[in-house]
Amino acid sequence: MADHITLQVARYRPEQQSDITFDEYEVPCPKEWVVLDGLNHIKDRLDGTLSYRWSCRMGICGSCGMNVNGEPKLTCATFLADYAPGPIRVEPLPNFPVIRDLIVDIGDFMQKLVRVKPWIMRQTEKPVSEGEYRQTPEELDEYKQFSMCINCMLCYAACPIYGLDPKFLGPAAIALAQRYNLDSRDEGASDRMAVLSEHEGIWGCTFVGECTKVCPKHVDPAGAIQRYKLTAALESMKAIFMPRGA
Amino acid sequence: MIKQHPEPWLWLLFSAGGVLSAMLMPMLLLLFGVAFPFGWVAAPSHAQMVAVLGNPLTRVVLFALFMLSLFHWAHRFRHTLYDGLQIKHLNEVIAVLTYGVAVVGTGVAAYILWQIP
Amino acid sequence: MSDSHVYTPYHPRWLRRRVSTYWWLQKWSYFRFILREGSCLFVGWFVLYMLLLVNAVGKGPDSYARILEWSAEPWVLGLNVVSFLFVAFHAVTFFEAVPQALVVHIGRTRVPGRLVMAAHYMAWALASVLIAWLIVGA
């Protein structure tokens, strides 16, 4: 059947089983269908017990990330036809604990995200009467790329270092820290440095580079981390050679 | 305020070693390791080598190359052992061994280079 | 590090899959990474080899001749050929990564990553020519 494709979907029902098993479903495969459409078809027509997360189905909310044939993907942006004749293996994102079927626990990332303080910090807020904080297009370009992150965590799923050491702060959190560090309106870089320059911050990264390859928004977290290593190293040198701070 | 720990320094040594070894090693290795032994090019005479090595600038560059490359090796090897074999629990032993070799190697390199007439 | 999310690490029913010790064999890009990291062994070997060579030069013409002979032995030659490939791979991967790690500004304009990388390749070529000229040419 050329107009159908087989999905091998990972199932984990914690009350029944202790490891993942795979269920196979035949789903229609028109050229405009993505993997998420296939899963929705299963849920609606074939097996209502399947659990997975999704929301916007247009690459903005970042909730439908799964491993498709071993690669972390947004299932709303991964076309079934690209994998013809199949089968396609759909698994929960690796490196995270699996709660049920294709749903993983994202608590660890949520905590890390807050630790890097991803918001604009000012030493002193200027009064509204003085107007807005202005920025030139060049200043915007410095961080714009990093602001595209949708917290889909595909980078964490692709990062073997995070898989090996869950304490590692990880790609997206560091890239988002850089998004604010490089923002001309922000004055919180030294605040973030304490967290970023820990052992489990940037120094855990050995630049495998997979985070950047799987990022659906072209954020380049690997680049953000390497750049920050240089920044942190130079700051360390400054702290020793110019203890008073120039 | 930044807490001082050795990681940034080790990383700087690693990177500097990475750049320097990438710039200088391929050609040196191609000549001494491959081209001369295969006889593609005649090896320089002893007198020529002494002349090249006699220049203090050569020795400074070589010393920097040796020292930084050793720290580059130590840093990468340490992390490869952690990630590739998952033996992070041996952290301290590995760090002492790898950076220890780099420090001793640097000393040996200095000694050998300063021996040349 | 985990302060408030305490129940998560110990949740009895959540499935945790351990990363295989041989994770770097599972994907070509991971394997390429481990090859890149492994290149450091050959960088280390080359330092040792150069130290032996310099030491031999310092000891006089006889020991220099002996080390040239030794480096033509099949296993040394083989090791050096492999080392050359790895060191060249190291150089290429290092320069490839430069635009990601190093952002250069001239005044307010950001120098394109390709240009920064090209500058590194140029420096590599220049250094190589200089070395060849010093050792073989002069």
Side-chain angles (χ1 to χ4, degrees), chain A residues 152-168:
Chain A
C152 65
M153 293 171 293
L154 298 193
C155 51
Y156 282 77
C159 174
I161 307 306
Y162 177 64
L164 293 168
D165 182 5
K167 278 192 269 172
F168 174 41

Side-chain angles (χ1 to χ4, degrees), chain C residues 53-67:
Chain C
L53 192 85
V54 173
N55 189 40
V57 172
K59 288 232 169 88
D62 290 345
S63 54
Y64 177 61
R66 244 178 289 131
I67 197 133

